[in-house]
Amino acid sequence: MKTKLRFIPLTCAVILTSTGCAVQSPDYSRLLSDAAPQQWTASTLPAGHIAAWQDFWARWEDPVLVELITKALAANPDIETAAANLRAANASVTSANAALWPTASLNGSRNHADGTGRNSFSAEVSGGLSLNLAGSEFWQADAATLKAMASAYTLEDVRAATAAATAEAYVNLRAAEASLAVTKASLETYLETAETAQWQFQAGTGSASEAEDALMQVASSRAQIPTLEKNIIQYRNALMRLTGCPVDELGLEPTGIIPVPPMGGAVSMPAELIEQRPDVRAAKATAEAAVKNLKSAKSDFFPTLSLSGNIGTTATAVSALGASGTGVAGLAAALAMPILNWGNLIAGEETAMANLQSAVASYRSTLLSALEETDNALTAIRSAEYRKGDLERAVSHARTAEKLARDEYGAGIGEYTMLLSTQRSLLSARESELNNRADRANSYITLYRALGGDWAVNQSVSKSAAPTAAGK
């Protein structure tokens, strides 16, 4: 018997020692910090670009663009879905925190014995508390809080993505309108050339092939118009989807004026700014939550302490409840130690470890994608800026050449092939310059999105970048 008694504490010590070792987890915070960039200077902008991102869209000086983004942020279905997910995550935090507190209930009853005709009445308050000795419930509460924080970051990321998508659709709409205007202007030029070629053919100073070729140019140019009009309708419909408003209520009168992005004075984008992206922070919070879940799984190897108690009163009449001698009370404590279900516990720990590894990999992937997107956006802006002057000069020279060739052909001293070549060159130059303006504007929008939007940049400036679980 003494041997058995001595064996019990020895067994408990072995179990507690082994579980104590099991609850230790590697320093995954070091792994997360190592994944973050320490220095990043792969691309910079020339001096004179984007100094302050506050009120970024207002600085485009396009009221229609600002109004569209405002409507999108207020009614976009993706934002509503992300907000609903955040609400559910906050509810999970409340549930996890509630598990850390005792439970209590109030009961009342009346019993009637048919054989004796006696009644008895009782009123009782009971409560209980059950906690893992290694703090499994506390780790779960921490994990729920981090998941809610990740949902808050995700909401901000969806807002930034929605604003960027709206701006991009609007820029492409104006670019399509401008392209349509260029095509119609070229059509008018081709019509004039066809008329001149037909007149010269009838006068015997031109050939029939030149007249037919000129008519072919008119038909080809006219055939491009339906495609451009289709693109305009598609961009308008995209804005309808993003804003949740009918097209007729969006105020999209054709202008053909491509918005001009703001200019400022910042010349580089530090790595700290990339880390402020909501999706990067959401991925990091998710990985940190996975660490907490792993610690919770390891804690399940420890015993669970359960406390329960009740206090009440029992009497044969309601009026006697609470009187002296009618009170009843009880208190119980229990310690449960997992023994035969260690297979499930080990499987749970392995699952938690796998989830952690996946979350860390996802964080690193998100961070690398953020770096790639930002660097590509900076490179695109720099390329568009370098091309801007040359393309504008090309349009000017092409316009002059086309006018000279047209005047010479109309006077009968120029060649049709030269006129046709200059007209095609002018159209190509105008389309290239127009596309570069659209690319330049879209590259700034891409950079805005790559940096996480107004929220991320402003948070980096203010150094207070952690939204609460309920939002900013």
Side-chain angles (χ1 to χ4, degrees):
M1 185 66 176
K2 291 182 179 181
T3 303
K4 294 182 179 180
L5 292 177
R6 291 174 181 174
F7 179 74
I8 292 175
L10 178 61
T11 304
C12 293
V14 171
I15 293 174
L16 291 177
T17 301
S18 61
T19 54
C21 294
V23 83
Q24 299 297 321
S25 60
D27 184 10
Y28 289 100
S29 59
R30 175 69 179 275
L31 180 61
L32 294 176
S33 63
D34 289 344
Q38 301 302 318
Q39 292 181 344
W40 179 62
T41 56
S43 290
T44 59
L45 290 177
H49 289 74
I50 303 218
W53 289 77
Q54 292 85 351
D55 301 323
F56 176 70
W57 299 117
R59 298 175 65 227
W60 287 63
E61 297 183 354
D62 190 321
V64 177
L65 173 62
V66 174
E67 181 65 20
L68 289 172
I69 292 177
T70 301
K71 290 181 178 179
L73 294 179
N76 184 268
D78 292 338
I79 295 178
E80 294 175 352
T81 300
N85 292 338
L86 174 57
R87 184 173 182 176
N90 287 332
S92 297
V93 173
T94 302
S95 176
N97 287 332
L100 304 178
W101 294 89
T103 60
S105 61
L106 176 63
N107 300 311
S109 63
R110 170 182 177 272
N111 297 319
H112 178 73
D114 293 335
T116 61
R118 295 179 180 178
N119 292 320
S120 63
F121 301 88
S122 64
E124 180 183 78
V125 177
S126 60
L129 175 64
S130 180
L131 291 176
N132 179 272
L133 294 183
S136 176
E137 293 82 5
F138 290 92
W139 297 126
Q140 291 176 8
D142 288 344
T145 300
L146 288 167
K147 289 179 181 178
M149 186 178 296
S151 295
Y153 290 135
T154 299
L155 173 58
E156 295 300 337
D157 183 60
V158 173
R159 289 173 59 86
T162 299
T166 303
E168 184 176 359
Y170 178 73
V171 168
N172 291 336
L173 170 65
R174 295 311 189 199
E177 292 174 351
S179 181
L180 178 62
V182 168
T183 301
K184 288 183 175 180
S186 297
L187 176 60
E188 292 297 325
T189 300
Y190 288 141
L191 286 171
E192 293 177 4
T193 301
E195 184 178 353
T196 302
Q198 187 70 21
W199 176 81
Q200 290 187 353
F201 168 66
Q202 294 174 353
T205 59
S207 65
S209 62
E210 292 178 353
E212 290 297 324
D213 188 75
L215 292 176
M216 183 274 293
Q217 292 295 328
V218 170
S220 298
S221 180
R222 186 181 289 119
Q224 296 178 17
I225 293 178
T227 300
L228 294 172
E229 291 176 340
K230 179 199 68 174
N231 293 340
I232 290 174
I233 293 175
Q234 289 177 341
Y235 289 129
R236 289 167 66 90
N237 289 337
L239 290 170
M240 174 194 66
R241 171 180 55 82
L242 289 164
T243 60
C245 295
V247 175
D248 295 339
E249 299 179 7
L250 294 179
L252 297 174
E253 296 299 326
T255 64
I257 301 175
I258 299 176
V260 179
M263 305 291 286
V267 296
S268 65
M269 301 297 168
E272 291 78 8
L273 193 58
I274 305 300
E275 293 182 79
Q276 299 303 319
R277 274 181 46 151
D279 60 336
V280 173
R281 304 202 72 179
K284 186 175 183 179
T286 300
E288 292 172 344
V291 173
K292 304 295 183 180
N293 284 330
L294 176 58
K295 291 182 177 181
S296 175
K298 290 177 177 292
S299 299
D300 289 338
F301 288 91
F302 276 79
T304 298
L305 176 63
S306 299
L307 299 175
S308 62
N310 66 287
I311 184 172
T313 177
T314 300
T316 58
V318 175
S319 58
L321 290 175
S324 177
T326 63
V328 293
L331 178 65
L335 189 65
M337 179 69 192
I339 296 179
L340 297 180
N341 62 335
W342 273 40
N344 291 333
L345 298 180
I346 293 173
E349 181 183 355
E350 286 297 311
T351 300
M353 177 65 75
N355 291 337
L356 173 57
Q357 292 175 342
S358 175
V360 172
S362 178
Y363 168 64
R364 295 182 65 251
S365 176
T366 302
L367 185 58
L368 292 173
S369 296
L371 292 172
E372 178 187 17
E373 292 168 6
T374 305
D375 193 60
N376 288 342
L378 291 169
T379 302
I381 291 175
R382 187 171 60 248
S383 174
E385 293 292 347
Y386 289 160
R387 299 178 64 206
K388 181 175 179 292
D390 287 336
L391 289 174
E392 290 175 348
R393 286 187 288 272
V395 170
S396 178
H397 293 311
R399 185 176 285 111
T400 301
E402 191 274 338
K403 184 178 183 305
L404 291 174
R406 181 156 38 91
D407 292 343
E408 292 172 354
Y409 182 69
I413 59 175
E415 296 182 357
Y416 172 76
T417 54
M418 177 58 69
L419 174 59
L420 180 61
S421 176
T422 57
Q423 288 178 338
R424 289 174 175 173
S425 296
L426 176 58
L427 176 60
S428 176
R430 294 185 68 183
E431 287 180 341
S432 296
E433 192 274 333
L434 187 154
N435 290 335
N436 188 67
R437 279 191 284 146
D439 290 343
R440 178 173 174 266
N442 281 326
S443 295
Y444 275 90
I445 294 171
T446 302
L447 179 61
Y448 167 89
R449 175 68 184 93
L451 294 177
D454 285 329
W455 177 83
V457 179
N458 293 341
Q459 292 295 315
S460 178
V461 173
S462 65
K463 302 299 183 181
S464 58
T468 63
K472 288 195 300 180

